[in-house]
């Protein structure tokens, strides 16, 4: 297991704790999941309005279904909406799910489950 990472089983979910190297009291909580047969690690973001996916070999091939705008401290960001199939996170399963696909050069390129 990589340094600064721990796994905790909880109610059918594998929680992945990624500890901050600079602040030992801080960690990101992630969950292991699958899209089809592809494994993904999603940042668990209970405040996110939409699931987002980083740009990779799989997500880059999905046709856009629309656009999603989000705003943050650095301004507005537009991402494509895509439809993914067979999303599994712990005991939760969805046959189809709409997600925002982050751009190829997105500054915060990681997937999150919202």
């Amino acid at each position: 297991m990589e340094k600064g990472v721990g796994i905790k089983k909880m109610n059918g979910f594998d929680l992945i704790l990624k500890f901050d190297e600079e602040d030992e009291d801080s960690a990101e909580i992630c969950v292991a999941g699958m899209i089809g047969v592809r494994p993904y690690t999603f940042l668990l973001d209970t405040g996110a309005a939409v699931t987002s996916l980083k740009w990779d070999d799989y997500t880059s091939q999905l046709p856009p279904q629309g656009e999603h705008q989000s705003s943050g401290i650095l301004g507005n960001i537009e991402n494509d909406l895509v439809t993914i199939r067979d999303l599994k996170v712990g005991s939760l399963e969805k046959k189809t799910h709409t997600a925002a696909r982050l751009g190829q050069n997105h500054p915060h390129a990681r997937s999150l489950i919202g």
Side-chain angles (χ1 to χ4, degrees):
M1 184 178 310
E2 69 184 87
K3 183 180 177 186
V5 174
I7 296 178
K8 168 89 171 141
K9 288 210 176 275
M10 180 174 245
N11 295 331
F13 290 91
D14 287 338
L15 298 180
I16 302 164
L17 305 176
K18 294 186 176 184
F19 297 97
D20 189 322
E21 292 180 11
E22 297 175 14
D23 182 357
E24 63 186 38
D25 294 328
S26 297
E28 291 180 336
I29 300 173
C30 300
V31 292
M34 301 283 287
I35 300 175
V37 297
R38 295 162 199 83
Y40 279 84
T41 299
F42 296 97
L43 177 66
L44 183 60
D45 187 344
T46 59
V50 66
T51 296
S52 63
L53 302 171
K54 66 182 180 179
W55 184 278
D56 63 21
D57 290 340
Y58 170 68
T59 62
S60 66
Q61 302 300 313
L62 298 172
Q65 305 294 319
E67 291 184 351
H68 176 264
Q69 282 192 355
S70 62
S71 60
I73 195 165
L74 301 176
N76 294 335
I77 298 173
E78 288 188 16
N79 297 304
D80 290 334
L81 289 175
V82 295
T83 300
I84 55 177
R85 309 233 181 272
D86 298 320
L87 173 65
K88 296 176 186 172
V89 178
S91 59
L92 301 176
E93 295 184 29
K94 289 194 82 173
K95 288 295 177 195
T96 60
H97 186 68
T98 301
R101 175 181 54 207
L102 303 177
Q104 188 171 8
N105 298 313
H106 193 282
H108 305 290
R110 59 184 172 184
S111 299
L112 69 86
I113 197 85

